[in-house]
């Protein structure tokens, strides 16, 4: 059978095939959606990734771990702490480095500040997709404060560059602690206000209620992560399931919509509710972390050259997990006693969440595509992992194609071996 | 909708939130505008001050450099190049990612971050 998107235009007497993207005003990042529609209803969904592959993992295998820290920040602009955090945890688990308690608290604070800024940015984008631009500007204004605090703490607004293997690079003084506390209070209030604006609005409610439903069963089958999974009623959060950093002391509980609206439907409305409530949760975590901040060292080793020498001597494999604003980030690193890692693999949360587009979009209307697409907070450039370019058409090697190639090669070799 | 409308009405009586542009209207020539500011003929809204510890353009003091190559080793963007003959480094601003790792690692403090951030230019020097 022909796949949707093979041809663009009329497919049969009453179905049409349309494609959205790769570059499209409704999508913030390049991805191509191939849809078959009957009238206004979507009947079949498929999407093509790998429009922005950058080969970051390959670059990583030619750099030493300290250089990779800054490279991993560039995987995703918004969640730059998440990738660095996961990478640091992976390398620390290989080398058996113990992170000092103060550094763990500072890491947690910065990671939660990042979650606040990412969720508010997302709320603004979601409002914009719905055509509610005044709420978008309101959200972006609210986001400025957290960016200023991050700039004060780390030295830059977005690219924080504060992580170091075995600790953090900058300490937090009393004045900064006060600023962070003020910001935490502000965002507790701001989250309530945003909830009023978004959830109390009848237009947003009618537009997003029962749109893009992801059932609990589908969510478990497709391994969705992060707020997308939690909005479907799956209590899944790395901070709760496998606490790290300062989270064991704080005690995080996964946020599900039944605590906010009283019921779990798994629609876009629930995803908005979960994300907005997580802003408050993050503000509470930051408040507790600043209050209970222990004294002491902020890094396992201050001198980068000594640390590099130490890492050159270790061998082994390690994984690092972190709950990013969009879900679980997973890094795999293999060190073989050389300067550069032998292997580095990144799994970004959007990779899991993208598949949930299919059950969400089936049966929806064309006008709902931007809202549903934005509701999982996709980040394409994190996700793109493999692309093959050649003289002919560009193609992506799937598992079956790779397998066929391998079988072909074996046959060729066997033919060559025959006398 | 009502909650947002209340916010919008409140906003009418608040100060503008966004940072002011350097000049009120787009000048005919930017460099001419800057020169007239220097002469004191026109006024410019100053750029927003940066907090202490900001990672801006990196300043290189050649005299202090001892050629230990630590900065070359940690630089993620190859912005620091070692000059074999002079035993000194060359810092390429246009490759720099402003992570400040070379500043941390420098044993003689030959590299320092500054507060400069208006670095966009048409030429690569």
């Amino acid at each position: 059978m022909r796949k949707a998107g093979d041809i663009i235009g009329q497919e049969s007497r009453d179905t049409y095939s349309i494609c959205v993207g790769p570059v499209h005003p409704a999508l913030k990042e390049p991805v191509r959606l191939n849809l078959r529609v009957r009238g206004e209803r979507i009947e079949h969904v498929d999407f093509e990734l790998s429009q922005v592959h950058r080969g970051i993992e390959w670059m990583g295998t030619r750099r030493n771990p300290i250089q990779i820290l800054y490279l991993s920040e560039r995987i995703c602009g918004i969640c730059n702490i998440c990738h660095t955090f996961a990478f640091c945890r992976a390398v620390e688990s290989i080398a058996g480095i113990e992170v000092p308690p103060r550094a763990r608290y500072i890491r947690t604070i910065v990671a939660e500040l990042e979650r606040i800024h990412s969720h508010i940015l997302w709320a603004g984008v979601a409002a914009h997709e719905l055509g509610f631009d005044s709420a978008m500007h309101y959200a972006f204004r609210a986001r400025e404060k957290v960016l200023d605090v991050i700039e004060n703490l780390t030295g830059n607004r977005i690219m924080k560059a504060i992580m170091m293997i075995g600790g953090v690079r900058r300490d937090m003084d009393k004045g900064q602690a006060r600023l962070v506390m003020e910001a935490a209070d502000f965002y507790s209030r701001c989250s309530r206000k945003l909830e009023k604006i978004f959830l109390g609005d009848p237009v947003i409610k009618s537009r997003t209620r029962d749109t893009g439903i992801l059932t609990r069963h589908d969510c478990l089958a497709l391994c969705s992560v992060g707020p997308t999974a939690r909005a479907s009623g799956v209590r899944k959060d790395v901070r709760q399931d496998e606490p790290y950093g300062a989270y064991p002391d704080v005690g995080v509980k996964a946020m599900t919509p039944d605590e906010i609206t009283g019921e779990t439907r798994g629609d876009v409305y629930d995803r908005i509710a979960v994300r907005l409530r997580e802003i408050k949760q993050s503000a509470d975590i930051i408040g507790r972390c600043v209050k209970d901040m222990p004294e002491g060292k902020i890094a396992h080793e201050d001198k980068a050259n000594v640390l590099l020498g130490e890492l050159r001597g270790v061998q082994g494999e390690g994984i690092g997990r972190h709950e990013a604003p969009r879900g679980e980030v997973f890094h795999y690193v293999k060190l073989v006693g050389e300067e550069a890692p032998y292997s580095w693999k990144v799994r970004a949360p959007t990779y899991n969440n993208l598949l949930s587009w299919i059950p969400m979009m089936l049966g929806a209307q064309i006008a709902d595509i931007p809202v549903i697409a934005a509701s999982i907070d996709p980040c394409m450039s994190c996700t793109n992992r493999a692309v093959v370019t050649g003289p002919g058409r560009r193609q992506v090697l799937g598992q079956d194609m790779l397998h066929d190639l391998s079988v072909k090669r074996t046959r060729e070799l066997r033919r060559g071996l025959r006398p | 909708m009502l909650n947002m409308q209340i916010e919008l009405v409140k906003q009418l009586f608040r100060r503008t939130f966004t940072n002011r542009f350097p000049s009120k209207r787009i000048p005919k020539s930017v460099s001419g505008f800057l020169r007239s500011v220097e002469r004191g003929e026109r006024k410019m809204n100053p750029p927003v001050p940066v907090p202490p510890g900001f990672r801006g353009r990196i300043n290189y003091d050649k005299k202090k450099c001892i050629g230990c190559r630590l900065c070359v080793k940690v630089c993620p963007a190859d912005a620091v190049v070692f000059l074999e003959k002079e035993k000194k480094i060359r810092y390429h601003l246009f490759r720099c990612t402003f992570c400040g790792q070379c500043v941390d690692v420098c044993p003689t403090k030959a590299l320092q971050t500054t507060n400069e951030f208006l670095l966009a230019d048409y030429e690569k020097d």
Side-chain angles (χ1 to χ4, degrees):
Chain A
M1 202 186 122
R2 212 169 45 209
K3 280 196 314 208
D6 281 353
I7 52 160
I8 308 302
Q10 194 157 21
E11 272 204 333
S12 69
R13 220 177 132 250
D14 44 18
T15 59
Y16 267 84
S17 184
I18 56 169
C19 74
V20 182
V23 181
H24 192 274
L27 304 165
K28 295 289 167 286
E29 282 177 84
V31 61
R32 182 177 149 150
L33 283 166
N34 296 324
L35 310 158
R36 189 192 298 137
V37 290
R38 186 183 294 271
E40 274 285 309
R41 297 275 155 202
I42 299 169
E43 259 193 353
H44 183 277
V45 188
D46 196 7
F47 50 85
E48 279 175 37
L49 284 175
S50 285
Q51 320 283 355
V52 275
H53 179 63
R54 292 168 296 167
I56 283 192
E57 288 161 338
W58 180 86
M59 284 158 80
T61 54
R62 273 143 191 83
R63 280 164 166 76
N64 64 41
I66 287 188
Q67 289 173 317
I68 296 179
L69 284 180
Y70 305 105
L71 182 64
S72 67
E73 284 197 325
R74 268 84 190 163
I75 294 176
C76 176
I78 292 175
C79 31
N80 54 62
I81 277 288
C82 310
H83 287 286
T84 331
F85 204 151
F87 177 76
C88 282
R89 287 193 70 208
V91 175
E92 282 154 12
S93 77
I94 302 172
I97 294 173
E98 185 78 27
V99 183
R102 192 175 172 83
R104 287 197 283 128
Y105 272 72
I106 294 177
R107 278 181 175 189
T108 309
I109 289 170
V110 182
E112 292 304 317
L113 285 173
E114 184 177 84
R115 191 183 317 278
I116 290 178
H117 120 70
S118 172
H119 279 353
I120 291 189
L121 176 92
W122 175 83
V125 171
H128 172 71
E129 300 291 5
L130 292 165
F132 196 4
D133 274 358
S134 51
M136 173 191 133
H137 290 292
Y138 183 81
F140 272 70
R141 190 184 74 180
R143 177 170 167 256
E144 274 307 298
K145 194 172 173 81
V146 68
L147 290 181
D148 287 347
V149 170
I150 289 173
E151 189 183 21
N152 206 314
L153 269 184
T154 68
N156 224 327
R157 275 159 63 92
I158 303 288
M159 288 299 173
K160 299 175 190 69
I162 195 174
M163 286 289 193
M164 178 47 63
I165 293 159
V168 286
R169 281 174 61 196
R170 290 187 183 207
D171 202 355
M172 207 167 94
D173 61 25
K174 288 234 169 70
Q176 286 170 330
R178 209 184 54 241
L179 269 178
V180 174
M181 268 316 250
E182 272 172 28
D185 287 345
F186 173 78
Y187 282 107
S188 281
R189 289 197 305 275
C190 175
S191 147
R192 224 171 303 141
K193 229 179 223 175
L194 280 171
E195 270 182 35
K196 251 191 219 165
I197 287 173
F198 277 84
L199 304 181
D201 189 286
V203 181
I204 290 192
K205 193 165 185 177
S206 57
R207 188 79 168 76
T208 56
R209 249 307 175 215
D210 296 326
T211 308
I213 291 181
L214 180 70
T215 58
R216 193 187 149 84
H217 176 261
D218 282 347
C219 172
L220 287 172
L222 296 170
C223 297
S224 302
V225 288
T228 312
R230 293 197 278 276
S232 295
V234 181
R235 291 190 182 276
K236 196 170 171 182
D237 193 324
V238 187
R239 297 175 292 169
Q240 170 199 285
D241 304 336
E242 193 203 293
Y244 54 93
Y247 296 120
D249 305 347
V250 181
V252 184
K253 215 167 134 262
M255 188 65 68
T256 46
D258 51 328
E259 292 167 32
I260 306 155
T261 56
E263 53 179 342
T264 305
R265 294 203 202 171
D267 51 10
V268 177
Y269 188 81
D270 277 353
R271 288 194 271 281
I272 296 177
V274 165
R275 285 212 172 84
L276 292 180
R277 189 55 70 89
E278 278 185 12
I279 297 174
K280 191 181 177 307
Q281 192 187 23
S282 290
D284 292 347
I285 294 172
I286 292 169
R288 281 207 53 187
C289 282
V290 175
K291 241 179 249 160
D292 305 345
M293 178 92 86
E295 293 295 320
K297 287 203 303 179
I298 56 157
H300 161 75
E301 174 59 64
D302 291 334
K303 293 194 179 69
N305 44 340
V306 181
L307 183 68
L308 274 180
E310 193 181 324
L311 290 175
R312 206 179 299 139
V314 293
Q315 289 190 5
E317 299 165 292
I319 55 166
R321 294 165 77 197
H322 172 67
E323 182 75 19
R326 291 160 180 75
E328 180 191 337
V329 174
F330 186 96
H331 277 232
Y332 165 83
V333 181
K334 184 175 181 183
L335 293 177
V336 285
E338 283 168 22
E339 193 138 275
Y342 177 77
S343 174
W344 176 36
K345 180 89 189 99
V346 181
R347 205 226 55 209
T350 309
Y351 183 75
N352 292 35
N353 285 342
L354 273 179
L355 280 174
S356 57
W357 267 352
I358 294 172
M360 283 180 202
M361 283 190 187
L362 283 179
Q365 290 188 2
I366 296 174
D368 290 332
I369 293 172
V371 182
I372 295 174
S375 78
I376 67 159
D377 203 358
C379 183
M380 295 306 160
S381 44
C382 308
T383 308
N384 290 176
R385 285 292 162 264
V387 64
V388 179
T389 53
R393 247 186 86 217
R394 200 178 74 153
Q395 49 184 204
V396 178
L397 277 182
Q399 194 193 351
D400 44 346
M401 260 176 90
L402 263 178
H403 181 72
D404 288 351
L405 269 179
S406 168
V407 172
K408 221 167 126 189
R409 176 102 179 105
T410 315
R411 286 207 188 113
E412 271 176 23
L413 273 177
R414 202 166 50 196
R415 226 173 290 140
L417 282 178
R418 236 174 252 158
Chain B
M1 200 58 92
L2 190 69
N3 289 312
M4 192 68 229
Q5 276 162 0
I6 295 169
E7 279 298 323
L8 291 176
V9 172
K10 271 189 200 163
Q11 182 59 46
L12 281 179
F13 304 102
R14 273 192 212 146
R15 201 170 56 84
T16 315
F17 186 78
T18 45
N19 300 326
R20 299 280 250 333
F21 258 66
S23 69
K24 197 168 181 183
R25 295 196 173 74
I26 298 176
K28 269 186 190 144
S29 141
V30 176
S31 47
F33 171 71
L34 289 175
R35 257 179 266 132
S36 70
V37 170
E38 268 173 28
R39 285 197 301 269
E41 288 166 13
R42 277 193 272 184
K43 270 192 186 166
M44 183 174 85
N45 290 321
V48 185
V50 292
F54 179 77
R55 289 181 275 119
R57 188 176 68 80
I58 286 160
N59 208 2
Y60 173 51
D61 187 350
K62 210 166 193 174
K63 275 183 220 139
K64 281 190 191 168
C65 181
I66 52 168
C68 66
R69 296 192 214 195
L70 283 178
C71 47
V72 182
K73 201 160 197 180
V74 295
C75 180
D78 285 342
V80 185
V81 178
F82 190 68
L83 303 172
E84 286 291 342
K85 256 189 206 159
E86 293 176 61
K87 300 272 181 260
K88 300 277 176 188
I89 57 156
R90 179 176 290 144
Y91 163 66
H92 292 284
L93 178 65
F94 60 93
R95 290 184 196 161
C96 184
T97 58
F98 305 102
C99 63
Q101 183 66 56
C102 52
V103 178
D104 283 9
V105 85
C106 186
T108 58
K109 305 224 178 331
L111 291 158
Q112 290 286 331
T113 47
T114 61
N115 282 346
E116 282 177 57
F117 60 91
L118 294 166
L119 301 170
D121 207 339
Y122 288 109
E123 275 163 32
K124 259 191 180 179
D125 51 56

